[in-house]
Amino acid sequence: MRKKKILLISNLYWNFANFRKDLIDNLTHSKKFDVFMIAKEDGYSKKFKNHNLKLYKWYINENSLNILKELFALIHLSYLFLKIRPDFVFSFTSKPNIYSSILLLFLNFKFCPNITGLGSYFINKSFVNKIYNYFYKNFFKRAHCVFVQNYKDKKTFKDKYKLDPKKIILLPGSGINLNKFSPKYKFNSYCINFLLVARLIKDKGIQEFYEASSIAYKTNKKLKFFLIGDFNKNNKNSISIDLFQKIKKAKHIKFKSFKKNISSEINNMDCVVLPSYREGKSRFLLEGLALGKPLITSNVPGCEELCTNFNGYKCKPMSVQSLSGAIIKMSKLKKKQLIEMGKQSRSLIENKYDLKYLLNQYNNVINLM
């Protein structure tokens, strides 16, 4: 009896390496399946060389809106599907989700897209947003199941896109392997160091963080702000070059390009900050909570459920005044209070977002298929 073929698709191998490695380890340890991966080659495929799986390079530009380039990407993906002939397809990020749903019209496989967040196009109500809405409403009905990462997205797929509620499965984000995160509860006497890790795009609240941190710094010169992320000027949702230059020149902000492991950076902080406009389930916040840190985040889907009255403060999205107020309020907390908030953060992760809950959901779906 031949093994079933599981195919995982994302726009970048970076996505697999940073968010799906534990899931992939779980799948490849099973002797029931042959596991395949498709993504754009970006140097991160080497992370999986010792895994029992087969890797394929996909010619896709994750930021392109050029019709000819997208058509070529779809044709190339069709070729890879015909070569692999998968039984199950788990897709991640917008384009792999959409293109896999198109191929489902012509090929026979069990399709399970993962909605890691409805993203910039959903927020901005652009023409591309209308295209995504069309596919979500008309093509995802043929999916075996649809994974979402927060209750608001689940409600959107049920009410707006008219998807069968039985097909919508809520995941605990990308899951946190608690064995890899040991909180040290290391804090200053007062909350001084604030960290934001995010792509430098508008929807992450980078502009608000820059302006709010400037206001808070004027009230307390001891405050320090750290921003880690990558700037991609080709991304249409990227912050302006002017703002990027201001951030790099700011005295109160220390900027670093994104690094592979941010745990050491988080451990040196007193508070993690994410003033995002919308998330699936922020991996940065999940890691911050796993390392026992208080947080400041927006009152939006994908962030709000990670912040209780006991482990941090919520702020209004797109509001410099609300964010600066939360930072100033946090900066007045003493070490004892920060430690207690940090313990509440760790407790929340252990009770709701442990990796085992995510693996159980995937295993249940695969066994039922």
Side-chain angles (χ1 to χ4, degrees):
M1 183 177 179
R2 81 170 179 88
K3 291 183 180 180
K4 296 291 186 179
K5 297 179 180 179
I6 293 180
L7 173 60
L8 308 172
I9 313 172
S10 185
N11 54 358
L12 297 169
Y13 275 106
W14 176 89
N15 185 285
F16 284 134
N18 282 276
F19 304 130
R20 318 290 163 205
K21 198 166 186 302
D22 290 307
L23 170 62
I24 293 166
D25 287 341
N26 181 66
L27 293 174
T28 54
H29 285 160
S30 173
K31 296 180 180 180
K32 298 179 181 178
F33 315 108
D34 285 325
V35 183
F36 303 79
M37 291 168 62
I38 292 177
K40 178 181 177 180
E41 179 54 70
D42 55 1
Y44 281 84
S45 61
K46 61 186 179 183
K47 295 283 185 179
F48 302 98
K49 284 187 176 179
N50 296 326
H51 287 62
N52 183 29
L53 48 77
K54 297 180 181 178
L55 310 180
Y56 290 88
K57 183 191 302 183
W58 183 19
Y59 295 106
I60 184 175
N61 185 325
E62 66 276 16
N63 297 314
S64 171
L65 294 177
N66 182 287
I67 294 177
L68 291 178
K69 289 182 179 180
E70 297 312 301
L71 181 60
F72 177 78
L74 178 58
I75 292 172
H76 185 222
L77 187 63
S78 303
Y79 165 76
L80 295 176
F81 265 64
L82 289 170
K83 187 173 183 179
I84 298 169
R85 296 285 181 176
D87 297 293
F88 313 125
V89 173
F90 295 96
S91 59
F92 307 86
T93 65
S94 299
K95 288 184 179 180
N97 287 342
I98 296 298
Y99 294 159
S100 297
S101 74
I102 295 174
L103 296 182
L104 188 59
L105 295 173
F106 309 101
L107 300 172
N108 183 29
F109 56 87
K110 298 291 179 62
F111 175 47
C112 301
N114 189 314
I115 308 300
T116 54
L118 289 174
S120 304
Y121 298 124
F122 184 86
I123 297 169
N124 298 329
K125 308 298 182 183
S126 64
F127 173 72
V128 178
N129 168 256
K130 294 180 180 179
I131 295 176
Y132 279 109
N133 282 336
Y134 177 81
F135 277 99
Y136 289 152
K137 187 173 184 179
N138 296 286
F139 281 60
F140 278 33
K141 289 179 180 178
R142 301 183 73 245
H144 180 78
C145 70
V146 175
F147 293 113
V148 297
Q149 297 190 0
N150 62 68
Y151 287 103
K152 291 289 180 68
D153 286 356
K154 183 176 183 178
K155 188 175 188 302
T156 297
F157 272 88
K158 181 175 73 73
D159 296 342
K160 182 176 181 178
Y161 301 134
K162 308 301 180 184
L163 199 67
D164 183 352
K166 295 178 181 178
K167 287 187 174 184
I168 309 172
I169 298 176
L170 183 64
L171 295 178
S174 52
I176 289 291
N177 188 338
L178 295 178
N179 295 325
K180 296 181 179 179
F181 297 90
S182 300
K184 297 180 179 179
Y185 303 113
K186 176 183 176 183
F187 298 97
N188 288 290
S189 297
Y190 286 87
C191 188
I192 296 174
N193 298 319
F194 296 82
L195 172 67
L196 167 59
V197 179
R199 290 177 295 148
L200 300 189
I201 59 176
K202 299 170 187 174
D203 303 341
K204 298 295 183 181
I206 306 299
Q207 176 84 44
E208 290 80 0
F209 180 73
Y210 170 73
E211 294 182 19
S213 62
S214 299
I215 293 171
Y217 180 69
K218 290 177 182 178
T219 69
N220 185 351
K221 299 295 183 182
K222 292 182 179 181
L223 301 185
K224 299 177 183 178
F225 299 88
F226 300 81
L227 175 60
I228 298 176
D230 288 331
F231 176 67
N232 182 357
K233 63 182 180 180
N234 295 320
N235 187 330
K236 293 188 177 182
N237 196 40
S238 175
I239 63 172
S240 67
I241 295 177
D242 179 60
L243 175 58
F244 182 50
Q245 294 300 327
K246 286 180 180 179
I247 289 171
K248 291 198 295 183
K249 293 178 182 178
K251 292 182 179 180
H252 66 289
I253 296 179
K254 184 173 182 180
F255 171 76
K256 294 181 181 180
S257 295
F258 186 81
K259 55 186 296 185
K260 296 177 182 178
N261 187 346
I262 64 167
S263 295
S264 59
E265 300 285 349
I266 294 175
N267 269 324
N268 292 325
M269 296 296 130
D270 299 310
C271 178
V272 294
V273 184
L274 183 62
S276 179
Y277 299 172
R278 190 181 182 107
E279 294 285 329
K281 189 76 71 186
S282 167
R283 177 73 183 191
F284 164 55
L285 289 185
L286 289 174
E287 292 190 7
L289 301 190
L291 290 168
K293 298 297 178 180
L295 75 156
I296 295 172
T297 191
S298 306
N299 189 22
V300 298
C303 297
E304 59 187 357
E305 54 267 50
L306 297 178
C307 186
T308 69
N309 294 328
F310 305 103
N311 74 326
Y313 300 130
K314 297 176 187 177
C315 62
K316 296 178 182 178
M318 307 183 207
S319 173
V320 172
Q321 182 179 5
S322 180
L323 178 58
S324 62
I327 292 172
I328 292 170
K329 185 177 180 181
M330 183 71 76
S331 71
K332 295 178 181 180
L333 297 182
K334 296 181 180 180
K335 183 175 182 178
K336 183 178 180 180
Q337 294 170 296
L338 297 174
I339 291 174
E340 182 55 35
M341 275 192 170
K343 289 181 178 179
Q344 291 292 335
S345 290
R346 177 69 183 193
S347 177
L348 179 63
I349 288 291
E350 291 175 350
N351 292 330
K352 291 188 176 182
Y353 300 100
D354 191 327
L355 176 67
K356 65 183 180 183
Y357 301 128
L358 177 135
L359 297 181
N360 286 340
Q361 291 283 32
Y362 272 94
N363 288 334
N364 289 339
V365 167
I366 291 171
N367 290 332
L368 289 174
M369 289 194 300

